[in-house]
């Protein structure tokens, strides 16, 4: 698989097969991912892997944790502008129409959202934390790290879904992984093999054309 193929075949998977992923494979992928660029080579990522029996313990812990939680951060800006707002609504509409869930069917939509908190059935996952001292530049390093991981996962035949939804459950996640106070949760990453029979995985999200966001200067 070349890089173009990895980039093109990566997509967010929201239904996984019950097929285990070895810790050793995840470790190998993380080692390779550590070649990601980061400003000043700070490598500001802190990763907690959840796999095997730990995944079962995590699901149990999660279902017992009932207190409402303070979100780690605001996932989207308030009053999201165009064209971002439309893109955001489009992807949701495309996904729900693929699933045959009507716009007004809040209950079914919510059920789909809740699948985030089961890692969409993925057998493995990690949580990505960052030191609270870090600012925007280091947060962008996290993005590079996560994308590199997702592409390497494709090369290994694995699928992924990055998940900011976990920001809403940061207290329970932090308690489970026993992260120190100086760390804050950025996101989760579901890891496994996609269930090709599931409609939700047919989603091929659109992109705005290059002309809309890239300017080739000619002065
Ligand atoms: C940092 C990050 C967090 C995300 N969080 C979630 C999430 O919590 N739940 C979810 O279903 N998708 C999540 N996504 C997936 C995006 O919705 C998805 O990347 C986007 O719609 C483009 O689709 P694609 O990944 O299939 O190309 C996240 C993506 C990124 C990069």
């Amino acid at each position: 698989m070349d890089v173009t193929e990895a980039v093109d075949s990566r997509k967010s998977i929201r239904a996984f097969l019950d097929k285990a992923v070895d810790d050793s494979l995840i470790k190998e992928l993380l080692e390779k991912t550590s070649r990601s660029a980061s400003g000043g080579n700070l490598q500001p990522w802190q990763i907690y892997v959840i796999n095997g029996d730990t995944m079962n313990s995590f699901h149990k812990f999660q279902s017992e944790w009932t207190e409402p939680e303070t979100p780690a951060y605001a996932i989207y800006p308030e009053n999201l502008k165009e064209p971002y707002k439309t893109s955001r609504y489009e992807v949701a509409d495309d996904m729900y129409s693929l699933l045959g869930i009507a716009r007004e069917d809040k209950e079914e939509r919510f059920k789909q959202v809740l699948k985030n908190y089961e890692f969409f059935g993925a057998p493995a996952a990690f949580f990505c934390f960052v030191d609270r001292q870090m600012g925007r530049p280091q947060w962008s390093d996290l993005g590079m790290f996560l994308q590199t991981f997702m592409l390497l996962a494709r090369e290994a035949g694995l699928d992924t879904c990055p998940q900011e939804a976990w920001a809403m459950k940061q207290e329970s996640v932090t308690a489970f992984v026993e992260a120190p106070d100086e760390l804050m949760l950025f996101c989760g990453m579901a890891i496994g093999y996609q269930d090709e029979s599931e409609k939700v995985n047919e989603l091929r999200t659109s992109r705005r054309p290059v002309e809309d966001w890239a300017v080739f200067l000619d002065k």
Side-chain angles (χ1 to χ4, degrees), residues 10-12 14 91 116 120 146 150 161-166 186-187 203 205 207:
R10 185 218 56 81
K11 59 180 183 173
S12 298
R14 297 185 179 89
V91 72
N116 269 289
F120 300 111
L146 297 167
M150 292 190 285
C161 187
Q163 296 181 275
E164 283 161 340
W166 287 106
F186 172 32
C187 69
L203 183 64
T205 51
R207 294 294 187 268

Side-chain angles (χ1 to χ4, degrees), residues 20-33:
V21 182
D22 275 356
D23 264 354
S24 59
L25 176 55
I26 299 174
K27 187 170 180 205
E28 189 189 320
L29 292 174
L30 288 172
E31 260 165 7
K32 289 183 181 173
T33 302

Side-chain angles (χ1 to χ4, degrees), residues 160-217:
T160 53
C161 187
Q163 296 181 275
E164 283 161 340
W166 287 106
M168 309 301 289
K169 299 261 183 186
Q170 54 114 4
E171 285 166 18
S172 45
V173 170
T174 303
F176 185 84
V177 306
E178 298 179 35
D181 285 347
E182 72 250 31
L183 295 185
M184 72 173 281
L185 176 65
F186 172 32
C187 69
M189 177 71 74
I191 307 165
Y193 299 91
Q194 66 171 293
D195 184 342
E196 289 180 10
S197 70
E198 288 281 346
K199 271 263 167 219
V200 72
N201 290 336
E202 288 174 19
L203 183 64
R204 169 90 180 168
T205 51
S206 64
R207 294 294 187 268
R208 296 194 297 274
V210 178
E211 295 71 31
D212 284 14
W213 43 264
V215 178
F216 286 76
L217 298 168

Side-chain angles (χ1 to χ4, degrees), residues 1-185:
M1 178 177 284
D2 62 25
V3 180
T4 301
E5 209 180 330
V7 170
D8 197 57
S9 70
R10 185 218 56 81
K11 59 180 183 173
S12 298
I13 290 303
R14 297 185 179 89
F16 289 86
L17 295 174
D18 182 17
K19 182 176 168 190
V21 182
D22 275 356
D23 264 354
S24 59
L25 176 55
I26 299 174
K27 187 170 180 205
E28 189 189 320
L29 292 174
L30 288 172
E31 260 165 7
K32 289 183 181 173
T33 302
S34 73
R35 297 308 307 171
S36 302
S38 63
N41 202 21
L42 295 197
Q43 306 157 67
W45 39 82
Q46 178 68 48
I47 303 295
Y48 294 90
V49 178
I50 309 265
N51 196 12
D53 288 345
T54 308
M55 181 58 92
N56 297 331
S57 321
F58 179 70
H59 285 317
K60 190 161 178 288
F61 174 85
Q62 257 254 115
S63 61
E64 284 168 357
W65 185 284
T66 52
E67 291 173 37
E69 305 189 17
T70 313
Y73 54 88
I75 295 181
Y76 300 106
E78 244 180 83
N79 304 318
L80 196 61
K81 290 184 202 173
E82 291 299 349
Y84 315 108
K85 191 175 167 188
T86 298
S87 290
R88 186 184 166 198
Y89 283 107
E90 250 173 35
V91 72
D93 277 353
D94 289 351
M95 187 175 82
Y96 292 120
S97 63
L98 200 60
L99 289 169
I101 302 174
R103 187 186 283 259
E104 319 72 60
D105 196 345
K106 297 261 182 303
E107 202 181 313
E108 281 304 308
R109 283 187 166 223
F110 190 56
K111 272 193 206 159
Q112 178 60 31
V113 171
L114 288 184
K115 290 185 182 171
N116 269 289
Y117 304 110
E118 294 163 2
F119 289 115
F120 300 111
F126 67 66
F127 287 111
C128 177
F129 281 70
V130 64
D131 198 293
R132 292 178 197 278
Q133 185 185 45
M134 301 302 171
R136 291 184 216 192
Q138 291 76 42
W139 277 67
S140 84
D141 297 338
L142 300 183
M144 298 198 207
F145 179 91
L146 297 167
Q147 175 76 350
T148 304
F149 181 87
M150 292 190 285
L151 297 182
L152 288 166
R154 286 306 302 131
E155 190 187 51
L158 285 168
D159 298 291
T160 53
C161 187
Q163 296 181 275
E164 283 161 340
W166 287 106
M168 309 301 289
K169 299 261 183 186
Q170 54 114 4
E171 285 166 18
S172 45
V173 170
T174 303
F176 185 84
V177 306
E178 298 179 35
D181 285 347
E182 72 250 31
L183 295 185
M184 72 173 281
L185 176 65

